[in-house]
Amino acid sequence: MAMPGATTLLAWTRLLRAADLAGQHCAESLRKVGLPPPAWYDVLLAIERRGAQRPRDLQVALGTEQYALSRLVDRMVKARLLTREPCADDARGHLLHLTIEGRAMRAAMWPVYAEAIETVLGARVAEEDRAALARLLAPLAEPISA
């Protein structure tokens, strides 16, 4: 079994800490103005960009656990941001559709979310370092192949 070196552990710790703090800041920014958490934005944006989707395809696209996405979708359907429609080619399946209210919610969330992203990253890290960070994180943003 390979053990991570000190530099790998430091990078890992900072990556997780940075992601946690960034997520907390975004969630708090949205909460302060009465908007739902960032995960709702991610679902709304994915469906807005790709059109109606099966929950399993949305799960893969977002990299979330099935049980967490299922609960989130239930809340979003209850809030009338999404609808479930039967899938034409699979009687057991359904497609998630964005409602007019869902599209409006996504649009309302973006300015607050964008400002939070700018506060967390844009205003604190130089442009060339943001480009390097994006490049460095690219392989980590892909699933690990077996």
Side-chain angles (χ1 to χ4, degrees):
M1 173 184 5
M3 297 299 289
T7 304
T8 301
L9 287 174
L10 178 61
W12 177 256
T13 302
R14 287 183 178 173
L15 176 66
L16 294 180
R17 178 72 174 149
D20 187 46
L21 289 172
Q24 287 175 27
H25 180 77
C26 288
E28 181 63 18
S29 296
L30 290 163
R31 188 196 62 72
K32 280 182 181 176
V33 295
L35 293 170
W40 289 47
Y41 182 87
D42 297 340
V43 169
L44 295 171
L45 182 63
I47 296 173
E48 186 174 333
R49 284 185 173 168
R50 296 182 190 107
Q53 294 182 52
R54 292 175 185 234
R56 69 176 181 222
D57 297 329
L58 188 59
Q59 176 190 346
V60 170
L62 297 176
T64 59
E65 296 292 333
Q66 184 275 329
Y67 67 89
L69 181 64
S70 180
R71 286 187 211 147
L72 176 58
V73 166
D74 287 345
R75 289 191 301 269
M76 295 177 78
V77 167
K78 187 175 180 178
R80 297 191 172 122
L81 303 178
L82 301 175
T83 60
R84 287 187 180 101
E85 308 278 330
C87 186
D89 59 343
D90 180 2
R92 296 176 300 153
H94 61 274
L95 293 172
L96 299 172
H97 292 267
L98 194 61
T99 65
I100 293 169
E101 295 87 351
R103 199 172 299 278
M105 178 62 76
R106 207 262 337 132
M109 291 176 78
W110 174 242
V112 178
Y113 202 172
E115 186 176 330
I117 293 168
E118 182 60 25
T119 299
V120 168
L121 183 61
R124 298 170 67 196
V125 178
E127 176 66 31
E128 68 183 44
D129 292 336
R130 290 192 305 270
L133 181 61
R135 186 182 75 256
L136 291 168
L137 292 175
L140 301 180
E142 297 297 324
I144 298 171
S145 56

